[in-house]
Amino acid sequence: MIKSLAVIVPVYNCEKFIQKTLESIESSINFFRQDYSNIADNSTEIVVVNDASSDHTKEVVNEFIQLKSRYKSIYQVVSHSKSLGAGPARNTGIRISSGEILFFCDGDDLFLEEHIYVCYRALSQEIPIQPETRFTNSIAVVKTKAKIQEQLHPYWRDAINNSLLINLCLRRECHEFVEGFPEAAVYKQIRGREDTAYLEWVNKFFTIFRADLETVEYIRYPGNSFDRQLKKFQTPPEDYQLDWTPEEKKLHAIATQLESEKTLYLFKKLYQLDQRFIPSKFINWQPIVVEYLGQEKYVEAIALYQQSGEMKDAIAAEHKNILARAYNNLGTAFHQQKALERAIECFQAAIALQPDFSKANLARIYFNAGMVLLDQMQSQQALELFQHACEADSHLTQAQYQLSRTRYQLQVQSKGYQFTQDWFSNNILIWEQHLLPLAGRTLQVLEVGSWEGRSTCWLLDHILTHELSQITCVDTFQGSAEHRRFDADYRQSIEARFDANIAKTGAAPKVQKQIGQSQEKLRSLPLNTYDLLYIDGSHIASDVLEDALLGWRLVKAGGLIVFDDYGFSFDPNTQHNPKAGIDAFLTIFRDKIKITHKSYQVFVEKLPDSA
């Protein structure tokens, strides 16, 4: 329960208006006490700070207190020896006061009688809060509206309500966190900007309840700030132009720089999370976290978000999304830094929040987590996450690719295959999309270039499942030109590894080996026999073209020809690389084929009418 309050009244040369101002404050206190009589006299303060007025303001204040006030004992009156400006005067008043909640009233403005009552009840959360304005933290600040007699443009009326202090009430902890109003000399020269700076910090860091009630009055007197700006306030904003002098522009630029530095300082202060200086239960964490997210400061965003126990225990969907996004982005950063444990913790935290994301965004988190688990050699767990990613977004090609590739790698492990190279698994997804529909049929497959049997084993495991299906493998089992980097013993053992892997498929009888040069072996094979021709032998362009030409009549009408390594380059002379030979074939046979896929591999269908 709030047990004390203070009204801070900075005054400067307002002898004509101050009595009416003090009367309005007392009237508001009296109205408040009708319902809150338990707030004793010594728990309510009015602190008047005379900012070295050159008229009789001080005397008028003292005379009012002594002769007319109903609450003489609650006043404190102090004076500056020289005028410092309204901001420093307010700071002085707050320092010598002790109220838990603070009100501000300049010497020429008025409280309406319900002002203190409304603000107190709002801060105490005794006013019914509409669902759309629910708070996940305690209310720190109340902002009401000001009654204004003059006819103003609606834009400026709203701007005034947002920039006034008279309609503001806040907890002392908030003032202490922002460390008061700015006191640099430039603000006195500008005349008034310290208010907007202070409000900007309060708005940025604290939960604010905005009451749609006029509880104060902003009055125009001859020569006061309102009067000086009246023409501006009655002008449409699109027609208004600043008429600052060069010196005024310079002063505002200085103030802007000071405010930017102070804002940065407050953010750093908040991030230190020292509970001695941070009123955590009043901080409006969400926009602060959003600002950190915008700056890609994910560590700070998560650390600050976790300060609110209520948000962690019962987070609204909007808040969960922000936090999940932060965890995902931070996890990505950790992954790039190879900090795998921290990365997976972040992705798992994002998933655990069950954010209300689009399916595409949710799939991305699952995918990111799966990639970390792959790097940690946890393939089975990664597979499950890739499955979730594909279920969430069937168009996420990266997830589909990793799902197929990881499933294949796990199968390789379970079968006990012994492969020393992997030039195949990057194409698994494409093979699944184009070749799985053939599974279960009686098929004849011709493979030019088998190496250790990776592609052969995959075909036997997934496509050549019919008992009568067969595959003919043409290979020297000695490697070709680009394999000379391997030593002789390694190349001599290729065929033995091929045989061992084929044996582990349990389908070795379906395999026929043709050992030798493809240019010779293909000439001995039966025409119009094969449903699928896979060309992955020599990578010299002329050899690739020759394999394709010799294989053409071996493939049935309607059959498929698959070229590997369309994007492979091993020779600086591009005319020697596979692409040149494949392109030549595609050009020559363009009227007899249909290209069904073209990327690193090329899939071609032999049209039924082809000879």
Side-chain angles (χ1 to χ4, degrees), residues 15-298:
E15 61 182 5
K16 296 179 181 179
F17 323 117
I18 185 58
Q19 178 173 319
K20 190 175 181 180
T21 296
L22 295 177
E23 287 173 346
S24 76
I25 296 171
E26 289 194 6
S27 177
S28 187
I29 291 173
N30 188 60
F31 184 88
F32 166 70
R33 286 186 171 179
Q34 290 176 16
D35 278 336
Y36 291 97
S37 58
N38 56 319
I39 303 296
D41 285 357
N42 59 7
S43 298
T44 305
E45 303 169 271
I46 301 175
V47 181
V48 181
V49 182
N50 176 31
D51 191 35
S53 298
S54 58
D55 65 0
H56 296 94
T57 296
K58 181 178 179 180
E59 290 78 6
V60 172
V61 169
N62 287 329
E63 181 181 346
F64 172 80
I65 295 171
Q66 294 302 319
L67 301 179
K68 299 178 182 179
S69 173
R70 290 176 288 180
Y71 302 108
K72 296 180 176 59
S73 63
I74 70 174
Y75 278 92
Q76 294 189 71
V77 181
V78 296
S79 295
H80 286 165
S81 58
K82 67 176 182 178
S83 179
L84 301 175
R90 294 189 189 101
N91 288 339
T92 296
I94 293 169
R95 277 195 297 270
I96 67 172
S97 70
S98 58
E100 295 175 52
I101 59 175
L102 305 174
F103 294 84
F104 302 99
C105 188
D106 287 355
D108 56 357
D109 293 321
L110 301 177
F111 280 4
L112 302 183
E113 64 177 7
E114 62 267 27
H115 179 58
I116 294 176
Y117 173 81
V118 167
C119 292
Y120 183 92
R121 292 202 67 188
L123 281 179
S124 301
Q125 297 189 216
E126 297 175 6
I127 293 177
I129 306 297
Q130 296 299 320
E132 63 271 18
T133 57
R134 285 182 304 179
F135 295 97
T136 52
N137 228 351
S138 299
I139 297 173
V141 181
V142 176
K143 201 81 160 66
T144 64
K145 290 188 174 181
K147 180 180 180 181
I148 302 173
Q149 299 288 356
E150 281 70 18
Q151 293 297 315
L152 307 179
H153 188 281
Y155 171 86
W156 293 115
R157 183 176 290 273
D158 289 341
I160 289 170
N161 271 304
N162 290 331
S163 62
L164 287 175
L165 285 174
I166 187 177
N167 58 346
L168 176 77
C169 171
L170 79 164
R171 298 177 186 269
R172 178 175 290 272
E173 296 98 320
C174 304
H175 174 86
E176 291 174 348
F177 174 79
V178 301
E179 300 180 13
F181 291 84
E183 296 194 2
V186 66
Y187 288 97
K188 181 168 175 56
Q189 296 171 282
I190 291 173
R191 298 176 69 184
R193 179 165 166 160
E194 71 275 8
D195 294 3
T196 56
Y198 184 83
L199 285 168
E200 179 183 350
W201 299 324
V202 168
N203 286 328
K204 188 176 290 292
F205 290 102
F206 299 106
T207 53
I208 300 178
F209 175 72
R210 300 183 185 276
D212 191 19
L213 296 170
E214 293 180 351
T215 66
V216 297
E217 186 169 3
Y218 186 43
I219 300 178
R220 180 173 68 92
Y221 293 113
N224 73 354
S225 176
F226 187 5
D227 186 57
R228 294 194 303 270
Q229 300 180 82
L230 181 60
K231 183 177 180 181
K232 164 186 170 181
F233 295 152
Q234 294 176 332
T235 303
E238 62 272 17
D239 296 336
Y240 174 73
Q241 291 186 346
L242 285 171
D243 55 356
W244 288 345
T245 66
E247 179 60 23
E248 286 175 322
K249 291 180 181 179
K250 181 179 179 180
L251 292 173
H252 279 280
I254 294 171
T256 298
Q257 180 63 30
L258 291 173
E259 290 157 19
S260 297
E261 292 172 358
K262 176 68 173 288
T263 301
L264 181 60
Y265 161 76
L266 291 174
F267 270 111
K268 290 180 178 178
K269 178 180 177 180
L270 182 66
Y271 182 57
Q272 290 173 359
L273 299 175
D274 188 333
Q275 298 303 318
R276 294 174 300 170
F277 308 114
I278 299 173
S280 297
K281 65 180 180 179
F282 303 127
I283 297 292
N284 192 11
W285 296 105
Q286 181 187 350
I288 297 170
V289 172
V290 169
E291 186 155 341
Y292 272 115
L293 286 174
Q295 298 171 10
E296 299 185 356
K297 295 180 178 179
Y298 306 123

Side-chain angles (χ1 to χ4, degrees), residues 290-448:
V290 169
E291 186 155 341
Y292 272 115
L293 286 174
Q295 298 171 10
E296 299 185 356
K297 295 180 178 179
Y298 306 123
V299 175
E300 292 89 338
I302 290 172
L304 293 176
Y305 217 107
Q306 291 177 334
Q307 289 307 296
S308 174
E310 292 182 20
M311 285 188 181
K312 286 189 291 184
D313 296 337
I315 304 176
E318 182 181 10
H319 299 117
K320 286 197 297 187
N321 292 350
I322 294 171
L323 185 54
R325 177 186 164 200
Y327 274 123
N328 179 61
N329 292 338
L330 182 58
T332 300
F334 282 140
H335 192 191
Q336 292 171 348
Q337 297 165 14
K338 307 301 182 185
L340 301 183
E341 288 295 335
R342 298 185 71 181
I344 195 62
E345 287 174 4
C346 287
F347 291 130
Q348 289 172 340
I351 293 168
L353 283 165
Q354 299 181 332
D356 184 22
F357 277 176
S358 67
K359 291 183 177 180
N361 288 338
L362 187 59
R364 176 60 61 178
I365 297 178
Y366 283 123
F367 172 76
N368 291 342
M371 292 304 294
V372 176
L373 290 173
L374 274 189
D375 287 348
Q376 292 180 314
M377 308 301 290
Q378 298 183 49
S379 299
Q380 186 60 51
Q381 296 91 324
L383 181 69
E384 294 173 5
L385 289 171
F386 294 141
Q387 288 172 332
H388 287 313
C390 291
E391 290 167 2
D393 182 7
S394 60
H395 300 293
L396 185 57
T397 304
Q398 292 167 296
Q400 294 174 343
Y401 165 77
Q402 289 298 342
L403 176 62
S404 297
R405 193 166 185 265
T406 304
R407 186 189 295 123
Y408 167 71
Q409 290 168 340
L410 287 169
Q411 183 185 34
V412 168
Q413 294 173 17
S414 67
K415 286 272 193 173
Y417 295 135
Q418 298 297 313
F419 301 122
T420 62
Q421 307 295 326
D422 184 7
W423 301 311
F424 172 72
S425 65
N426 285 338
N427 302 304
I428 288 289
L429 178 61
I430 302 303
W431 279 48
E432 289 180 344
Q433 292 172 344
H434 289 268
L435 301 184
L436 279 181
L438 302 177
R441 304 181 191 179
T442 302
L443 300 172
Q444 291 290 327
V445 175
L446 175 58
E447 181 177 59
V448 178

